[in-house]
Amino acid sequence: MTMGDSWSYVASDNYKSTRTLVHMLCDVVAKGGSLLLNVGPDADGQIPAPALLRMKEIGEWMAENSSSIYSTRPLYPYAQGDWRMTQSKDGKTTYMIYLVPEGSSGKLSVELPKVEGKVKSCKVFGEGKVKGSSTLVIPDAKKRVAVVVEVKKK
């Protein structure tokens, strides 16, 4: 997938937002795939500033949420609305990834997808919490592109 609109360098390229790129990563991984991002360097071999910024922001998201992406397996039904699901190799941990919609702001409460089996623990990566047993509460949705809820099963 290209970060912009072109497979090669174009000075005035229209780069996809970090939100779009992270959402695509989560969607592809939830279906068992891998995502390859293309970046075209300029004539001097330099990576354009917008591409570097996107890579930095994706890296920051991955630093907090990588366990929901690396070494995971698809988990049927893969997607439910704005949710994407993955699981650990042993199937004992489910990762529910909420793709925060563009334009979201302020406090956001979202119903969690149902989890099969008995739940041992539930943890939100970064800012946010699970209220009761069925609602994810994100304090400031504008700051988040995607929120991961880790569910460990008994």
Side-chain angles (χ1 to χ4, degrees), residues 13-127:
D13 206 352
N14 177 37
Y15 286 86
K16 294 169 182 70
S17 69
T18 300
R19 178 179 308 277
T20 298
L21 296 170
V22 169
H23 286 195
M24 180 62 71
L25 171 66
C26 296
D27 190 60
V28 167
V29 170
K31 295 171 186 167
S34 298
L35 184 66
L36 174 66
L37 287 177
N38 176 68
V39 180
D42 66 16
D44 295 326
Q46 299 297 311
I47 302 296
L52 288 173
L53 176 62
R54 301 306 187 278
M55 287 188 271
K56 176 183 177 288
E57 291 171 344
I58 292 168
E60 289 168 354
W61 186 86
M62 286 295 293
E64 185 171 73
N65 302 287
S66 63
S67 60
S68 68
I69 302 294
Y70 293 133
S71 300
T72 58
R73 303 291 181 259
L75 179 64
Y76 182 81
Y78 319 118
Q80 291 180 8
D82 289 326
W83 289 96
R84 301 298 179 268
M85 276 68 76
T86 62
Q87 64 182 332
S88 60
K89 284 183 189 180
D90 63 8
K92 292 181 180 179
T93 305
T94 296
Y95 299 99
M96 299 183 293
I97 308 165
Y98 180 68
L99 307 179
V100 179
E102 186 73 43
S104 297
S105 63
K107 186 176 178 181
L108 186 62
S109 295
V110 186
E111 186 174 337
L112 292 165
K114 301 250 186 277
V115 176
E116 296 291 324
K118 294 186 178 188
V119 174
K120 179 179 175 182
S121 66
C122 187
K123 169 183 159 185
V124 179
F125 294 171
E127 292 180 16

